[in-house]
Amino acid sequence: MLDHAYGGYMKHAFPADELLPVSCQGAQTLGGYSLTLIDALGTLAVYGRKAEFHQAVQLVLNHVSFDLDVSASVFETNIRVVGGLLSAHLLLVTGAIAPIDGYTDGLLQLAVDLADRLLPAFDTATGIPYGTVNLHSGVPRDEVNITCVAAGGSFAIEFGVLSRLTSDWRYEQAALRAAESLWQRRSRLDLVGNHLNIQTGEWTFDAAGVGTGADSYYEYLLKAGLLFNDARYLSMFNQHYAALNRHVKSNGWFLDVNMNNGQPYHSAPMHSSLSSFWPGLQVLLGDVTEAAQSMRLFFGVWRRYGLIPELYSVHQQSVPPNWFHYPLRPELAESLYLLYSATRDPIWRRAGRDMIVAIQHSARTPCGYATYTGLEHEQHDKMDSYFLAETLKYLYLLFDDANPFANDRYIFTTEGHLIPILRSFQQSRLPRDTDSPLTTNDVCDQFQQNPVLHFWQRLSRANFNPLARYT
Ligand code: DMJ
């Protein structure tokens, strides 16, 4: 599958961003900087393709430039491109993959250049970034003030790593301010909504859930907290997690509620395909039984249709019109991999095998893999770069116990990029900025006293321990 997808991209699409897998050509879909090549770097490493990884790194170093007059999504550019570059740099300099002669920090320099072009987006009244930035000229004049929680609050890992590698704390400062600004706007139920105005801070869409529009905000509070051993992030996650379990979790599903009163948001509650990553997150917390319960439900949907539709009506047990497509998303595979890692229960591998069979049957085209629908088995001319960055990576890891990356020394970013949990990352911290809503002492006290999550203890009960680190 990797050869077919990556080979198809390189043959028909490179140096464009993504492969159009039905018409067998390339398209500039994000910014025009060989998105799929950068997003796929870590997957080549996980598959043990050392020579292809080296070639791909050389191609990036020789061909990619961000000196472009294009407007790009701040969120997508960060998670896919900044994250892909940083991860590949770290794999090289930590010796996780054989070094390239003469390589010092070319990928890191590219990541710094790109992050510098994203930073103007964070210059807002709330610190929550605009959705789009022009890589040459900053925020476009007509850019809207509305963004979603995931796009506003998912920078802590990439920007935190960048700051630690460069000792330039502007990145971490921007990421932390945005996350805290969202957290500060939580309701009395400790929930955040879905969309808000980045200048006034007012909520414009007050549905709270863990799927579309919110997912990686929560994910980054937890993972940045673990990666940097930072109680500020862990405390925010901690309070949200308790609230989500109380109000959003519903018999194993995670269904949107009104952030202010906890009442169901829709008369026909929907499972959002994106929320299928949540069981994987529960595994990291040691909540393996709950994760397994949810995954049985989610995978039941896959079994029934041979895909996970973008939306699934839980009460009506049906797919609403126009939502019957599967854009090759990774979330289900990610949760399967993490569940299997924690339990070694073969049912999760059998589920992964079923996913692979269905993708091979329905998504494969002569030059790649396509988004497909469950109705007429139509294929759409789209292969998102995350198919290579995430879906194939998690499916491969699910079947490779001896993989050098299948262990607890790494955190996966929301785009599936591997970040090693380095002691040096945990020893440095942003000096507190004065306009932050919390002091470090406040947060540490809350964290110590809160009985809901004792990460270290809970993780030691699961077989999977992402908190072990290099000694
Ligand atoms: C990916 O880009 C990331 O996983 C993101 O967090 C959500 N959307 C896609 C995959 O579905």
Side-chain angles (χ1 to χ4, degrees):
M1 291 172 88
L2 175 76
D3 285 337
H4 192 61
Y6 181 69
Y9 165 74
M10 291 306 290
K11 183 168 175 198
H12 301 284
F14 176 80
D17 279 337
E18 288 182 322
L19 171 71
L20 303 182
V22 176
S23 57
C24 295
Q25 52 185 321
Q28 304 294 32
T29 50
L30 192 62
Y33 29 61
S34 304
L35 167 68
T36 300
L37 178 71
I38 296 172
D39 228 3
L41 288 172
T43 305
L44 295 172
V46 164
Y47 274 67
R49 302 293 184 86
K50 193 179 79 180
E52 277 167 291
F53 176 84
H54 285 177
Q55 273 165 14
V57 169
Q58 291 295 1
L59 283 173
V60 172
L61 294 174
N62 296 337
H63 291 279
V64 172
S65 158
F66 302 112
D67 192 14
L68 300 165
D69 183 13
V70 292
S71 291
S73 156
V74 178
F75 165 75
E76 298 289 357
T77 304
N78 175 56
I79 66 166
R80 300 193 196 205
V81 187
V82 177
L85 293 167
L86 281 178
S87 171
H89 170 74
L90 286 167
L91 296 184
L92 281 168
V93 297
T94 57
I97 191 153
I100 295 177
D101 278 350
Y103 179 83
T104 49
D105 63 356
L107 297 172
L108 174 61
Q109 282 177 27
L110 279 170
V112 168
D113 176 48
L114 183 54
D116 285 346
R117 295 170 192 272
L118 301 183
L119 274 181
F122 290 77
D123 187 11
T124 64
T126 61
I128 302 164
Y130 284 101
T132 303
V133 78
N134 182 291
L135 298 184
H136 256 318
S137 52
V139 178
R141 269 215 194 113
D142 55 354
E143 179 58 3
V144 292
N145 285 335
I146 307 296
T147 197
C148 70
V149 164
S154 311
F155 295 86
I157 296 181
E158 294 82 3
F159 279 26
V161 168
L162 259 184
S163 282
R164 283 163 178 79
L165 293 178
T166 61
S167 301
D168 179 345
W169 292 98
R170 286 175 309 146
Y171 311 109
E172 165 115 326
Q173 198 155 27
L176 182 62
R177 181 166 177 239
E180 286 186 334
S181 192
L182 288 164
W183 186 76
Q184 221 183 352
R185 288 171 172 80
R186 71 198 183 283
S187 68
R188 62 182 178 84
L189 301 183
D190 283 335
L191 295 171
V192 292
N194 199 287
H195 281 74
L196 81 171
N197 185 308
I198 56 173
Q199 302 296 2
T200 66
E202 279 169 72
W203 291 103
T204 56
F205 182 18
D206 52 7
V210 299
T212 313
D215 47 4
S216 49
Y217 160 68
Y218 298 115
E219 183 182 5
Y220 272 32
L221 293 181
L222 174 63
K223 290 184 175 175
L226 298 176
L227 180 62
F228 304 130
N229 193 19
D230 191 330
R232 295 173 294 194
Y233 287 116
L234 292 176
S235 173
M236 290 188 270
F237 177 80
N238 192 357
Q239 275 176 256
H240 280 322
Y241 190 67
L244 291 165
N245 276 339
R246 195 170 311 126
H247 302 289
V248 172
K249 190 171 163 199
S250 171
N251 298 320
W253 299 97
F254 294 88
L255 306 174
D256 284 2
V257 296
N258 183 299
M259 65 181 278
N260 296 307
N261 59 26
Q263 292 303 308
Y265 202 84
H266 304 282
S267 51
M270 302 282 170
H271 171 71
S272 144
S273 166
L274 287 169
S275 56
S276 309
F277 87 104
W278 197 255
L281 206 73
Q282 290 176 304
V283 169
L284 294 182
L285 297 166
D287 287 342
V288 179
T289 309
E290 290 88 336
Q293 184 204 0
S294 292
M295 273 303 276
R296 282 195 198 92
L297 297 172
F298 301 172
F299 206 76
V301 179
W302 182 286
R303 281 243 161 77
R304 183 168 165 197
Y305 299 115
L307 55 77
I308 185 104
E310 287 290 86
L311 287 179
Y312 174 75
S313 168
V314 170
H315 293 172
Q316 290 160 4
Q317 298 189 12
S318 62
V319 182
N322 302 326
W323 293 101
F324 216 152
H325 53 288
Y326 170 61
L328 305 172
R329 287 196 191 280
E331 287 75 11
L332 214 56
E334 175 181 356
S335 288
L336 289 177
Y337 164 60
L338 289 163
L339 258 174
Y340 180 75
S341 299
T343 63
R344 302 285 165 196
D345 185 335
I347 65 163
W348 307 120
R349 272 194 168 161
R350 287 201 289 273
R353 180 200 59 195
D354 289 355
M355 267 189 90
I356 290 169
V357 168
I359 292 171
Q360 286 290 73
H361 176 260
S362 303
R364 197 177 156 104
T365 72
C367 55
Y369 290 87
T371 295
Y372 62 96
T373 67
L375 275 180
E376 307 292 338
H377 287 292
E378 275 171 15
Q379 293 182 329
H380 299 287
D381 208 3
K382 178 97 179 118
M383 184 178 91
D384 257 284
S385 65
Y386 58 66
F387 180 63
L388 272 161
E390 294 189 80
T391 314
L392 291 185
K393 185 183 284 155
Y394 291 124
L395 287 172
Y396 188 81
L397 285 170
L398 176 61
F399 292 94
D400 190 14
D401 290 341
N403 193 284
F405 300 103
N407 61 47
D408 47 21
R409 293 177 182 173
Y410 293 91
I411 286 273
F412 290 99
T413 71
T414 193
E415 188 70 4
H417 295 306
L418 289 154
I419 303 290
I421 304 173
L422 299 175
R423 189 182 286 275
S424 59
F425 286 169
Q426 308 204 327
Q427 284 166 344
S428 45
R429 177 117 346 134
L430 170 71
R432 205 56 235 180
D433 76 70
T434 45
D435 61 358
S436 172
L438 286 170
T439 68
T440 308
N441 284 345
D442 290 340
V443 178
C444 286
D445 286 351
Q446 283 174 18
F447 181 61
Q448 297 296 338
Q449 286 163 19
N450 195 319
V452 179
L453 292 180
H454 289 286
F455 291 96
W456 308 87
Q457 262 177 295
R458 293 165 79 93
L459 283 162
S460 64
R461 268 187 255 135
N463 296 327
F464 188 72
N465 180 1
L467 295 180
R469 65 205 64 185
Y470 291 131
T471 52

